[in-house]
């Protein structure tokens, strides 16, 4: 990542967005506060997917006020095409993805650069830490961090440092994209998982460091969470099938649970409600364990978290079944599974 003598290093921040009027100014302020290492400069590239809620006008104003910011058109309107548009226009030796719905520690980019230099990894990032403002959003964040929802994913482990299979957002040496390619624009969701999988299968390394700190603000309504996880579940089979990758157990359990519920309901109608009742009892115990493991959560948030966890599991499970069904029938991924969930 070394540059020529007297030439400041440049880190390119990339961020796709669409219809983010309520959040884009706070994001730009968070990005503008980044404190870079000596000799480094920053550019911020924001790919707008044809926003029609006033986001674009706010972006234009930000770019006029701060020459470090540029906005680009993203006619594809999805995350993967927006990321690729930014990567093509980026000039930095390091490229770091940021999300519009997260806030970043002032040294976020500095820590990304340091970890890249220390580890020689092809992609680095921090843990996926969620918080909320409203009671429902706090319940979504609490469920998000629960191991009963994350399934043991290292990206939700706030203290873990080391190699991981995928990482929140990501920061790459520019050469990573030359060696391993950019994001798959056929994927509306899970494009980051697929890119990290492709990177690791080709011998690359993904590294997580708790020193890279950010805070993610999740969806604030239960219906949005359900639709979001339906989409995650739907797109996962296409990633698995494309690479012939054996799915991790945490990717299969929600679909197995939904299948079991459907089978139990069928048995209840045709024979006995016993199997369905036993399954629901076992799931109620799991929910109780998940809630008991949440620290610093009041009764109101805990009650909401029960519904949120169920929305995670049922949404992801049903979405996975629909994704496998379309894949088995050799159907292309359906565009309706990529609609905005905020």
């Amino acid at each position: 990542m070394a540059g020529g003598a007297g030439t400041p290093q440049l880190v390119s921040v990339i961020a796709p967005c669409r219809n983010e009027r309520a959040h884009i100014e706070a994001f730009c302020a968070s990005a503008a506060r980044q404190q870079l290492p000596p000799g480094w400069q920053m550019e911020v590239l924001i790919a707008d997917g044809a926003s029609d809620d006033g986001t674009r006008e706010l972006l234009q104003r930000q770019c006029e006020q701060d020459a470090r910011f540029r906005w680009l058109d993203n006619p594809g309107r999805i995350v993967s095409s927006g990321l690729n548009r930014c990567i093509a226009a980026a000039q930095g030796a390091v490229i770091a993805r940021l999300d519009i719905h997260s806030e970043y520690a002032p040294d976020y980019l500095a820590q990304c650069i340091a970890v890249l230099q220390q580890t020689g990894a092809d992609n680095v990032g921090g843990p996926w830490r969620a918080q909320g403002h409203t009671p429902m959003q706090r319940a979504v964040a609490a469920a998000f961090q629960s191991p009963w929802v994350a399934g043991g994913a290292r990206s939700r482990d706030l203290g873990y440092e080391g190699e991981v299979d995928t990482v929140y957002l990501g920061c790459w040496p520019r050469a990573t994209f030359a060696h391993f390619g950019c994001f798959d624009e056929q994927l509306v969701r899970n494009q980051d998982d697929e890119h990290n999988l492709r990177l690791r299968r080709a011998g690359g390394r993904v590294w997580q460091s708790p020193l890279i700190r950010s805070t993610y603000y999740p969806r604030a309504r239960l219906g949005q969470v359900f639709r979001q996880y339906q989409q995650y579940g739907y797109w996962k089979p296409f990633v698995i099938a494309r690479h012939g990758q054996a799915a991790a157990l945490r990717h299969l359990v929600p679909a197995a649970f939904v299948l079991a519920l459907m089978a139990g309901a069928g048995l209840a109608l045709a024979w006995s409600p016993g199997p369905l009742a036993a399954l629901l009892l076992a799931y109620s115990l799991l929910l109780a364990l998940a809630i008991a493991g949440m620290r610093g959560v009041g009764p109101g948030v805990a009650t909401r978290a029960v519904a949120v966890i169920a929305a995670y599991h049922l949404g992801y499970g049903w979405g996975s079944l629909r994704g496998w069904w379309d894949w088995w029938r050799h159907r292309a991924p359906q565009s309706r599974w990529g609609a905005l969930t905020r």
Side-chain angles (χ1 to χ4, degrees):
M1 294 188 294
T7 302
Q9 292 290 4
L10 182 67
V11 55
S12 296
V13 170
I14 62 174
C17 80
R18 174 170 162 75
N19 288 344
E20 297 286 6
R21 178 181 176 86
H23 305 281
I24 192 66
E25 291 179 305
F27 166 77
C28 290
S30 182
R33 288 194 296 266
Q34 288 299 300
Q35 300 167 1
L36 300 176
W40 283 80
Q41 294 181 357
M42 174 182 71
E43 64 173 358
V44 181
L45 307 176
I46 302 174
D48 178 64
S51 293
D52 55 15
D53 69 339
T55 298
R56 182 164 294 197
E57 290 73 18
L58 294 176
L59 278 175
Q60 290 173 329
R61 187 184 311 163
Q62 175 68 30
C63 295
E64 291 169 358
Q65 294 173 352
D66 191 332
R68 296 175 298 175
F69 285 75
R70 285 192 288 154
W71 70 271
L72 311 169
D73 271 315
N74 174 23
R77 299 190 180 188
I78 61 174
V79 170
S80 48
S81 62
L83 291 173
N84 287 344
R85 300 266 309 175
C86 289
I87 292 167
Q91 301 178 40
V94 171
I95 298 175
R97 176 185 174 183
L98 299 188
D99 180 78
I100 302 297
H101 294 272
S102 293
E103 292 181 1
Y104 304 90
D107 66 345
Y108 181 90
L109 293 177
Q111 292 293 347
C112 285
I113 293 167
V115 174
L116 279 175
Q117 293 172 333
Q118 292 162 9
T119 64
D122 301 282
N123 183 15
V124 303
W128 203 347
R129 176 188 287 102
Q131 290 185 7
H133 297 299
T134 67
M136 178 56 77
Q137 195 176 39
R138 289 198 293 272
V140 175
F144 183 87
Q145 302 291 170
S146 170
W148 295 99
V149 174
R154 292 290 195 187
S155 61
R156 312 281 180 93
D157 185 340
L158 303 183
Y160 179 77
E161 172 142 12
E163 287 198 41
V164 288
D165 55 358
T166 191
V167 72
Y168 180 50
L169 298 178
C171 179
W172 308 263
R174 188 179 191 87
T176 293
F177 297 106
H179 292 160
F180 305 107
C182 292
F183 293 93
D184 189 335
E185 296 189 18
Q186 293 184 345
L187 297 176
V188 175
R189 296 284 192 188
N190 292 323
Q191 67 281 332
D192 48 351
D193 287 348
E194 189 278 334
H195 189 264
N196 284 317
L197 174 60
R198 188 179 350 132
L199 184 157
R200 290 186 300 105
R201 287 171 69 91
R205 292 191 304 140
V206 182
W207 191 275
Q208 179 172 300
S209 170
L211 298 177
I212 301 172
R213 297 168 297 134
S214 65
T215 301
Y216 167 69
Y217 291 92
R219 274 81 174 161
R221 294 198 292 272
L222 192 63
Q224 293 173 326
V225 172
F226 181 77
R227 291 193 299 274
Q228 177 190 17
Y229 274 77
Q230 269 192 315
Q231 291 182 2
Y232 284 148
Y234 179 82
W235 290 94
K236 180 58 72 173
F238 293 97
V239 174
I240 292 170
R242 181 164 301 178
H243 291 280
Q245 175 206 27
L249 182 62
R250 67 177 183 269
H251 299 145
L252 300 178
V253 169
F257 174 58
V258 171
L259 279 176
L261 283 176
M262 295 166 63
L267 288 173
L269 291 173
W271 176 57
S272 167
L276 179 61
L279 178 62
L280 292 176
L281 176 60
Y283 189 64
S284 297
L285 291 174
L286 183 148
L287 289 175
L289 288 171
I291 298 303
M294 293 180 180
R295 303 184 185 280
V297 172
V301 171
T303 301
R304 290 175 174 87
V306 172
V308 171
I309 294 173
Y312 277 143
H313 292 156
L314 294 173
Y316 195 99
W318 176 245
S320 295
L321 293 176
R322 290 299 307 270
W324 283 118
W325 177 245
D326 284 345
W327 173 82
W328 183 73
R329 292 191 298 163
H330 304 288
R331 292 183 65 186
Q334 302 300 293
S335 59
R336 71 184 186 87
W337 292 90
L340 286 173
T341 57
R342 286 196 185 262

